[in-house]
Amino acid sequence: MSYQVGVDLGSTFSAAAVCRSDSPAAELVPYLRTVLFVNRDGSIVVGDDAERRAVTDPQRVVRQFIRRIGDGVPILAGGTALPAEMLAARFVGRMLDTVAAQLNGPASRVTVTHPAGWGAHRVAALRDALPGTRFLPSPVAAVLAQSTRDRIPPGATVAVYDLGGTGFEASVVRRDTTEAFGLAGPAEDLEIGGLDLDESVFTHVTTALGPAWGRLDPADPAVRAAVLALRRGCTAAKEALSADTEVQIPVALPGVDTRVRLTRAEFEEAIRPAVEETVAALDRAITAAGVEPDAVLLTGGSARIPLLTQLVSERLGRPVSVAFDPKGIAAIGAALEARGPAVLPTRRLSPAPPVPVPPEPPLPVIIPPPPVGPPRADDSGRWLGLPRLAVAGAAATVLAVGVAGALTLLGNRARPSTSDADTGSSVTTRTVVVTETQTVPPGGARPPRPGTRKSEPTATSSTRTTSRPPDATTTKPPTSSKTTSTTTTSTTAAIQESTR
């Protein structure tokens, strides 16, 4: 079965989504912690399995290596030094192997996201480690996925507020007139992420424990494992406060078994300075893009915190919405991009506008020279010495041939016979060349040019017709615009360092 995969490489969690040929939508694969453990034989273990092994052998675990891609400094893990992009490639490879085992074969195409602020060097480093893979900025992938739920018309712009695990990024995405998505300006990033918000909760708990926290031995593996579980409980409490007004955080440490209460108001007071910094960065990104966004989209693991929506809305005065799956939306968009526009009807390419074709230039008009000298009384019907003839029947045909020949030499063509429009009866016409000299009074009508031909019936006709070539006009093609920790004892620092 043919399928495509989108992978969103996060600093703390990574997500993958699959587009299968028998399903019109992308399906998320279970999230995976972005943690890698290098075994003694060089093989790797990822996700929760890597976290469990890190408790007993922390020197072989690697975290947050995504942020090191492209810096050129190898990362040492278990005696093996590897560049960050190679670790990322092995991590992605393990994710793809898991998907392939479930779907009985490899993916036909893979798209991997990257931060919008990455330059060409960092993207190239990851591309070299993952040859044959397509790449897409993560905010573009997020807006692409959100457009399957919310209508984003061509020409609209969406500001993306992405609060990830270890960093924040703000950018503006535009949907152009061909219904393709792209960045509208440079991104703004900060070293403020969900882990900093988690640390606020963790600090609240350790402060509440008091002396019991200081008596713990950081070298005890049981303590390290218990603290790791406590940190996960703090993350869960942060997420629960998005819907609840207070939580009870369980604490199970050697010699300590209790619960610590935390309200939403206490949590928001602790994180407000950091959130305000992110909102200011979003404002700078919008200014740099030079557009006024039509909406704001919140993504990332911490996107559902109510304080974020409140402060962003107050600052920008724009509609703010949380992505339908903040943690996995970029992976969904990457899978849609890997599959192609056929999965998303709203991304059909519009037909190209017609190319204006300029009109052909008019044929040159040849005006014969005026007659020499004043007209004589007996030459009123003459032009270049040709007498006026009034011949009917066969004689008119002979005369027409002679006159037509003379006019051809002068660059004129004889007109054919016409029909009488009023009576519907055919009348015989003859071509008469008339030369007249007229004096035009000031502001008067312009006289007919010499050599103007007229067709008149044999019986009577005094109507003169003058044709003027249309002025040439040119049609121009259209153009298009537009971190919180408090000072604690050395024991606290050692425990936190060994468990982060």
Side-chain angles (χ1 to χ4, degrees):
M1 176 181 59
S2 175
Y3 68 95
Q4 298 79 37
V5 178
V7 176
D8 178 37
L9 278 177
S11 55
T12 55
F13 282 90
S14 293
V18 174
C19 279
R20 301 188 298 182
S21 58
D22 59 349
S23 175
E27 305 172 24
L28 270 174
V29 177
Y31 300 110
L32 188 66
R33 292 182 181 273
T34 313
V35 182
L36 186 148
F37 185 90
V38 181
N39 292 312
R40 298 184 183 275
D41 60 356
S43 61
I44 65 169
V45 177
V46 299
D48 289 342
D49 291 339
E51 284 282 16
R52 284 190 290 268
R53 299 193 185 195
V55 174
T56 57
D57 200 348
Q59 302 302 318
R60 293 184 172 274
V61 68
V62 184
R63 299 183 179 90
Q64 302 179 22
F65 52 87
I66 304 301
R67 300 172 62 87
R68 298 279 305 275
I69 291 175
D71 66 4
V73 180
I75 298 176
L76 186 64
T80 302
L82 291 172
E85 52 267 24
M86 188 59 64
L87 292 173
R90 297 185 69 178
F91 185 87
V92 171
R94 180 54 57 88
M95 294 180 70
L96 297 178
D97 290 344
T98 302
V99 174
Q102 296 174 353
L103 299 180
N104 301 319
S108 60
R109 280 195 303 272
V110 178
T111 297
V112 177
T113 67
H114 63 81
W118 277 18
H121 170 71
R122 301 184 74 176
V123 177
L126 189 56
R127 180 181 289 111
D128 291 343
L130 288 167
T133 301
R134 303 164 69 171
F135 294 90
L136 188 69
S138 56
V140 176
V143 176
L144 169 59
Q146 190 71 22
S147 68
T148 64
R149 303 289 185 93
D150 300 333
R151 171 65 178 164
I152 302 177
T157 55
V158 179
V160 181
Y161 176 107
D162 183 13
L163 186 57
T166 61
F168 167 80
E169 184 175 67
S171 55
V172 179
V173 176
R174 175 188 285 116
R175 185 173 197 169
D176 63 22
T177 55
T178 63
E179 302 189 10
F181 295 88
L183 294 173
E188 284 278 335
D189 56 16
L190 296 173
E191 291 187 356
I192 296 176
L195 291 182
D196 298 308
L197 310 187
D198 296 349
E199 190 68 24
S200 298
V201 180
F202 185 78
T203 300
H204 175 83
V205 173
T206 58
T207 301
L209 292 178
W213 173 254
R215 290 193 295 266
L216 298 174
D217 181 6
D220 186 351
V223 172
R224 292 203 298 266
V227 172
L228 180 61
L230 177 60
R231 286 192 175 275
R232 293 183 180 178
C234 291
T235 301
K238 176 197 70 176
E239 296 173 352
L241 285 173
S242 298
D244 302 329
T245 57
E246 69 173 59
V247 292
Q248 297 288 335
I249 305 171
V251 180
L253 297 168
V256 180
D257 187 5
T258 186
R259 290 178 176 269
V260 176
R261 176 178 176 269
L262 176 65
T263 66
R264 181 189 292 178
E266 292 171 328
F267 173 63
E268 291 183 345
E269 182 181 1
I271 68 172
R272 181 178 288 270
V275 174
E276 288 178 342
E277 285 190 51
T278 63
V279 175
L282 176 63
D283 197 12
R284 291 195 299 270
I286 294 173
T287 301
V291 298
E292 288 295 331
D294 300 289
V296 182
L297 181 66
L298 307 185
T299 67
S302 301
R304 290 193 172 98
I305 296 175
L307 182 64
L308 272 61
T309 302
Q310 174 189 338
L311 294 183
V312 171
S313 180
E314 290 176 355
R315 181 69 173 263
L316 302 181
R318 292 288 184 274
V320 179
S321 60
V322 179
F324 64 88
D325 193 324
K327 292 173 68 174
I329 189 169
I332 295 173
L336 295 174
E337 182 68 19
R339 185 170 187 177
V343 72
L344 190 61
T346 55
R347 295 191 70 239
R348 278 198 309 268
L349 294 179
S350 300
V355 178
V357 179
E360 295 183 359
L363 294 175
V365 178
I366 302 175
I367 303 176
V372 179
R376 297 178 300 184
D378 59 346
D379 285 342
S380 60
R382 296 175 177 267
W383 181 59
L384 294 181
L386 295 177
R388 174 188 291 270
L389 299 178
V391 184
T397 304
V398 175
L399 180 60
V401 173
V403 174
L407 294 180
T408 300
L409 295 175
L410 295 174
N412 294 282
R413 292 176 293 183
R415 296 181 180 270
S417 298
T418 60
S419 300
D420 190 342
D422 295 332
T423 63
S425 60
S426 298
V427 296
T428 304
T429 64
R430 58 192 175 90
T431 302
V432 180
V433 180
V434 180
T435 302
E436 294 182 357
T437 302
Q438 297 183 11
T439 302
V440 181
R446 179 178 178 179
R449 295 193 299 271
T452 301
R453 300 189 302 274
K454 83 174 182 180
S455 298
E456 61 184 24
T458 301
T460 59
S461 176
S462 61
T463 303
R464 303 177 186 271
T465 58
T466 303
S467 62
R468 182 187 304 271
D471 293 336
T473 58
T474 303
T475 302
K476 296 183 179 181
T479 59
S480 58
S481 49
K482 185 190 151 4
T483 211
T484 41
S485 59
T486 59
T487 303
T488 60
T489 64
S490 59
T491 301
T492 301
I495 292 176
Q496 294 184 10
E497 183 63 27
S498 64
T499 59
R500 286 178 68 86

